[in-house]
Amino acid sequence: MSVTSTTIVTPQLIAFEHNFPLQNGQTLPRFDLMVETYGTLNAAKSNAILICHALSGTHHVAGRHSPDDKHAGWWDNMVGSGKPIDTDKFFVVGVNNLGGCAGSTGPRSHNPETGLDYGADFPVVTVRDWVRSQALLADHFGISEWAAVVGGSLGGMQALQWTIDFPRRVRHALVIASSPRLSTQNIAFNDVARQAILTDPDFHGGYYSRHQTKPRRGLRIARMMGHITYLAEHGLGKKFGRQLRGNEYKFNYDVDFEVESYLRYQGDKFADHFDANTYLLMTKALDYFDPAAEHCNNLTAALAHVQAKFFVASFSSDWRFAPSRSHELVKALIAARKDVQYIEVPSHHGHDAFLMEDEPYINAVRAFMVNIKV
Amino acid sequence: MSVTSTTIVTPQLIAFEHNFPLQNGQTLPRFDLMVETYGTLNAAKSNAILICHALSGTHHVAGRHSPDDKHAGWWDNMVGSGKPIDTDKFFVVGVNNLGGCAGSTGPRSHNPETGLDYGADFPVVTVRDWVRSQALLADHFGISEWAAVVGGSLGGMQALQWTIDFPRRVRHALVIASSPRLSTQNIAFNDVARQAILTDPDFHGGYYSRHQTKPRRGLRIARMMGHITYLAEHGLGKKFGRQLRGNEYKFNYDVDFEVESYLRYQGDKFADHFDANTYLLMTKALDYFDPAAEHCNNLTAALAHVQAKFFVASFSSDWRFAPSRSHELVKALIAARKDVQYIEVPSHHGHDAFLMEDEPYINAVRAFMVNIKV
């Protein structure tokens, strides 16, 4: 079936009814993953693509959930019939990560051990945990190896971890606007975001749902700040400049500048739907990701057994995950004598560029995907 | 008298007992300015230097307030006997800005019109208001013209505004790590900081002192975020890297990385002593500063009547007030045929570099100051 931006897609919840040990030493008694699939798995099961999401992403990658759904999935420009990740050729799987808040087991879920929602009892999961849960998902579909694992930002970290942890189960990895580990500045911004949430009086130690509330203020501040870091200085300037809402300065703390209005709107929207505990654990997964650490900080050594062919892309104005971070990965892959293609895309959209229409970028992904044999 | 880092200096409060109309249309019935002076005003009153402070600065520029004072003034490495701004030659004036929280009239002060503290009733003052209040301060000392007005960051904006508003009263201006106006990104960060404070339940619409509380959480978040933007990515990486506090990841939201501990400490310290209303109005003064705006965004036109000789300095890794922002000013000064010296200092200390010891920078200021005739 053809998948377009208006195709109605239906997510499915897949249950894993067994213990799932985590990197932090805790064990989940069971878990669900919310997934969405596009296209058809071929008989050889050789055309499967896994899409890994970033901090606030979900399983809903392409199409719409209902005819009056205002927006298509978060990567609808990339995934669909005739699109770079072509659902006429590939069977594409989107998955909401464990610990997420879009249907997979996470802090909002029922904890069978307490009979209450997990809240703060949900463990801090890692990129490695996610990859292991996604491997169980592959087993569920009978997929022994992915034709490709694809992700941007935190999603790119998952794609990279896949190639390290399951070298025989990934033929290609697309690591976009990502990094082999966070910089000090990245960690610093994440901690400020977490502190905004943790110190919100409505956080209640993470058990806010039991108090029929949520730390909206903290989430809003975290998102506003995050949003600035996802955009480029230049792009923000081009879009808003110093444009005023009214005709003159207000001399109070209402909106003076359009950029303030935009950011507050983004913060409010996010605080309305996202879960604070999920935000916290996602940022921790980002901070902890560091595959080179177990190899004396030698990323080349960490990549020694990788078998996937890599596509790495970065964006010139991305200062959250700067091109230099992708260079580290590319250099290590080359040093480890792996197959890697790299494109640095000129853009003024900052980190968010990986989600946007950009011809050279889209074409580069298309060219890479076209050459994948299924 | 020689002024060294251990010299005991005593601030003085200077009262201005008359109406002071502000740019926003309001009028202060009276105000005080807390000042500190170093060196001796000569008979011709031709050796006076005004030091303008940045967002969180004060009148306390050099020396100590008591023998057991742990820290010297905020620019003690720059101001003193034999230092680049040499108090053996110059009479240096440090002043806490109107609206500040270090002794000058501000939100914490008594409002004679209500009999209560100003709190949120304190007006949003501007760089132009500050310059006018500093002109009254000059009058108080009988100083008809400053040998130089000097400032970094927001302080540099005041120095620039001085040359525009009182061209005959400033012979030299040192505009360091500053900008002729904030970028969209700067405004965005300021608004997030303000939102953190304004949405703190302890803010009480700005009348928190009447509730015997203060919006500590909001101030802390604002400062943590601000602090990241004052430091360079590279400098932060060099200082902290991914260094852990303990031996392994904690898998909770306590401190994992040293940088988290550092930022939280900075945030706590700031929240302990700084006033939230002052923080709000200081960031607004930053946002509103835009001398070119009244001249159809033509900065050269705004500078047409300037008579001061300029010294402009920027720092390579400063991304809050990037070198490109200083270039705008230097180009406009050149286009307006003004006298300007410019130095771009290689540094990995980011915006904070203007406060630090750096030989080429210190020497450049020294060379400029040595050539000022008094």
Side-chain angles (χ1 to χ4, degrees):
Chain A
M1 193 185 92
S2 180
V3 178
T4 72
S5 302
T6 54
T7 300
I8 305 301
V9 292
T10 308
Q12 50 180 311
L13 195 66
I14 299 171
F16 299 86
E17 302 293 352
H18 47 72
N19 282 346
F20 184 68
L22 300 166
Q23 200 179 334
N24 76 347
Q26 287 180 256
T27 296
L28 285 177
R30 66 169 303 285
F31 67 99
D32 298 314
L33 290 180
M34 186 68 91
V35 305
E36 224 166 88
T37 69
Y38 321 89
T40 308
L41 189 59
N42 63 12
K45 302 197 172 184
S46 63
N47 70 335
I49 306 277
L50 176 67
I51 308 284
C52 302
H53 70 70
L55 200 151
S56 60
T58 69
H59 54 280
H60 181 40
V61 173
R64 279 172 162 74
H65 284 158
S66 70
D68 51 350
D69 204 349
K70 265 192 261 179
H71 302 286
W74 61 268
W75 226 4
D76 189 83
N77 60 341
M78 193 65 94
V79 175
S81 292
K83 293 181 182 170
I85 299 175
D86 191 345
T87 52
D88 296 341
K89 174 182 178 184
F90 295 111
F91 174 68
V92 178
V93 179
V95 56
N96 183 220
N97 281 355
L98 198 58
C101 54
S104 292
T105 298
R108 279 182 186 169
S109 305
H110 180 82
N111 179 353
E113 289 171 344
T114 64
L116 299 166
D117 287 355
Y118 275 103
D121 294 333
F122 197 86
V124 172
V125 290
T126 63
V127 170
R128 177 159 272 173
D129 292 327
W130 286 334
V131 166
R132 283 185 46 258
S133 71
Q134 291 158 359
L136 295 174
L137 180 65
D139 296 344
H140 165 88
F141 286 116
I143 296 163
S144 61
E145 64 174 28
W146 299 102
V149 179
V150 190
S153 191
L154 178 54
M157 292 175 168
Q158 294 162 62
L160 177 56
Q161 190 75 54
W162 256 103
T163 68
I164 294 169
D165 288 354
F166 297 99
R168 293 171 188 282
R169 300 191 72 174
V170 195
R171 295 210 307 279
H172 302 83
L174 290 85
V175 179
I176 300 170
S178 193
S179 167
R181 63 181 175 194
L182 291 196
S183 71
T184 316
Q185 190 190 64
N186 292 151
I187 294 171
F189 274 123
N190 279 346
D191 197 51
V192 179
R194 283 191 295 265
Q195 289 295 310
I197 293 168
L198 293 165
T199 63
D200 185 325
D202 286 332
F203 183 65
H204 296 290
Y207 300 108
Y208 41 86
S209 71
R210 297 178 195 174
H211 294 78
Q212 287 80 49
T213 186
K214 65 186 291 191
R216 282 196 92 259
R217 300 178 204 87
L219 256 179
R220 179 172 175 270
I221 295 299
R223 184 58 164 187
M224 288 177 74
M225 184 181 67
H227 210 83
I228 301 174
T229 72
Y230 305 146
L231 303 176
E233 159 88 318
H234 181 64
L236 206 56
K238 268 187 79 153
K239 189 165 177 182
F240 298 106
R242 292 177 55 91
Q243 205 184 319
L244 292 174
R245 201 87 215 271
N247 292 320
E248 48 192 19
Y249 295 157
K250 292 209 178 71
F251 294 104
N252 61 34
Y253 305 118
D254 294 341
V255 166
D256 267 305
F257 296 93
E258 286 291 355
V259 68
E260 297 171 312
S261 168
Y262 171 76
L263 277 184
R264 294 183 198 182
Y265 172 77
Q266 294 294 338
D268 285 333
K269 203 172 63 168
F270 189 73
D272 282 342
H273 84 271
F274 209 77
D275 180 63
N277 284 315
T278 291
Y279 196 90
L280 295 174
L281 69 82
M282 290 276 169
T283 59
K284 269 293 177 190
L286 276 161
D287 290 1
Y288 287 162
F289 179 71
D290 187 4
E294 306 170 11
H295 298 268
C296 304
N297 290 319
N298 185 335
L299 185 59
T300 303
L303 297 167
H305 304 294
V306 160
Q307 299 198 10
K309 295 182 178 181
F310 274 76
F311 171 90
V312 178
S314 69
F315 299 88
S316 59
S317 60
D318 182 354
W319 61 281
R320 181 91 175 196
F321 289 154
S324 58
R325 315 312 312 280
S326 285
H327 299 176
E328 290 173 36
L329 173 59
V330 170
K331 282 179 191 162
L333 284 164
I334 291 171
R337 297 172 186 242
K338 305 301 172 186
D339 193 322
V340 54
Q341 287 185 22
Y342 174 61
I343 181 174
E344 189 168 320
V345 183
S347 168
H348 58 258
H349 290 299
H351 188 55
D352 272 358
F354 88 87
L355 296 166
M356 294 185 185
E357 283 291 347
D358 177 284
E359 216 178 303
Y361 162 49
I362 294 280
N363 286 346
V365 175
R366 187 186 296 276
F368 188 79
M369 297 305 293
V370 160
N371 288 315
I372 295 180
K373 291 190 179 61
V374 296
Chain B
M1 195 185 93
S2 180
V3 178
T4 72
S5 302
T6 54
T7 300
I8 305 301
V9 291
T10 308
Q12 50 179 312
L13 195 66
I14 299 171
F16 298 86
E17 301 293 351
H18 48 71
N19 282 345
F20 186 67
L22 300 166
Q23 200 179 336
N24 75 347
Q26 288 180 256
T27 296
L28 286 177
R30 65 169 304 286
F31 68 98
D32 298 315
L33 290 179
M34 185 68 91
V35 305
E36 224 166 87
T37 68
Y38 321 90
T40 307
L41 188 59
N42 63 12
K45 302 195 172 184
S46 63
N47 70 334
I49 306 274
L50 176 67
I51 308 285
C52 302
H53 70 71
L55 202 152
S56 60
T58 69
H59 54 281
H60 182 40
V61 173
R64 279 171 161 75
H65 283 157
S66 71
D68 51 350
D69 204 350
K70 263 193 262 178
H71 302 287
W74 61 268
W75 225 4
D76 188 83
N77 59 341
M78 193 64 95
V79 175
S81 292
K83 293 180 182 170
I85 300 176
D86 191 344
T87 53
D88 295 341
K89 174 182 178 185
F90 295 111
F91 173 69
V92 178
V93 178
V95 55
N96 183 220
N97 280 354
L98 199 57
C101 55
S104 292
T105 298
R108 279 182 185 169
S109 305
H110 179 82
N111 179 353
E113 288 170 345
T114 64
L116 299 166
D117 287 354
Y118 274 104
D121 295 333
F122 197 85
V124 172
V125 291
T126 64
V127 170
R128 177 159 271 174
D129 292 327
W130 286 334
V131 166
R132 283 185 46 256
S133 73
Q134 290 159 359
L136 294 173
L137 180 64
D139 296 343
H140 166 87
F141 285 116
I143 296 164
S144 60
E145 63 173 30
W146 299 101
V149 180
V150 189
S153 191
L154 177 55
M157 292 176 168
Q158 294 162 62
L160 176 55
Q161 189 76 53
W162 256 103
T163 67
I164 294 169
D165 288 354
F166 296 100
R168 293 172 187 282
R169 300 191 72 174
V170 195
R171 295 209 309 277
H172 302 83
L174 290 86
V175 178
I176 300 169
S178 192
S179 167
R181 62 181 177 195
L182 290 198
S183 71
T184 316
Q185 189 189 65
N186 291 153
I187 294 171
F189 275 123
N190 279 346
D191 197 50
V192 179
R194 281 190 297 264
Q195 289 295 311
I197 292 168
L198 293 164
T199 63
D200 185 324
D202 286 332
F203 183 65
H204 296 290
Y207 300 108
Y208 41 87
S209 71
R210 297 177 195 174
H211 294 79
Q212 287 79 50
T213 185
K214 64 186 292 189
R216 282 197 93 261
R217 302 178 203 85
L219 257 178
R220 178 172 175 270
I221 295 300
R223 184 59 165 188
M224 288 177 75
M225 183 180 67
H227 210 82
I228 300 173
T229 72
Y230 305 146
L231 304 175
E233 159 88 317
H234 181 63
L236 208 55
K238 269 187 78 153
K239 190 165 177 181
F240 298 106
R242 292 177 55 91
Q243 204 183 321
L244 292 174
R245 202 88 215 272
N247 292 320
E248 48 191 20
Y249 294 158
K250 293 208 177 72
F251 294 103
N252 61 33
Y253 305 118
D254 293 342
V255 166
D256 267 306
F257 296 92
E258 285 291 354
V259 68
E260 298 172 312
S261 168
Y262 171 76
L263 277 184
R264 295 183 197 182
Y265 172 77
Q266 294 293 338
D268 285 333
K269 204 172 64 168
F270 189 73
D272 282 342
H273 85 270
F274 209 78
D275 180 64
N277 284 315
T278 290
Y279 196 90
L280 294 174
L281 68 84
M282 290 275 169
T283 59
K284 270 293 177 189
L286 277 162
D287 290 1
Y288 286 162
F289 179 73
D290 187 4
E294 306 168 13
H295 298 268
C296 304
N297 291 319
N298 184 335
L299 185 58
T300 303
L303 297 167
H305 303 295
V306 160
Q307 299 200 7
K309 294 182 179 182
F310 274 75
F311 171 90
V312 179
S314 69
F315 299 88
S316 59
S317 61
D318 182 354
W319 60 281
R320 181 90 175 198
F321 289 155
S324 58
R325 313 312 312 281
S326 286
H327 298 175
E328 289 173 36
L329 174 59
V330 170
K331 282 178 191 162
L333 284 165
I334 291 170
R337 298 173 186 241
K338 305 301 174 185
D339 192 322
V340 54
Q341 287 185 22
Y342 174 60
I343 180 172
E344 190 168 320
V345 183
S347 168
H348 58 259
H349 290 299
H351 188 54
D352 272 357
F354 88 86
L355 295 166
M356 294 184 185
E357 284 291 347
D358 177 284
E359 217 178 302
Y361 163 48
I362 294 280
N363 286 346
V365 175
R366 187 187 296 277
F368 188 79
M369 297 305 292
V370 159
N371 288 315
I372 295 181
K373 290 190 181 60
V374 298

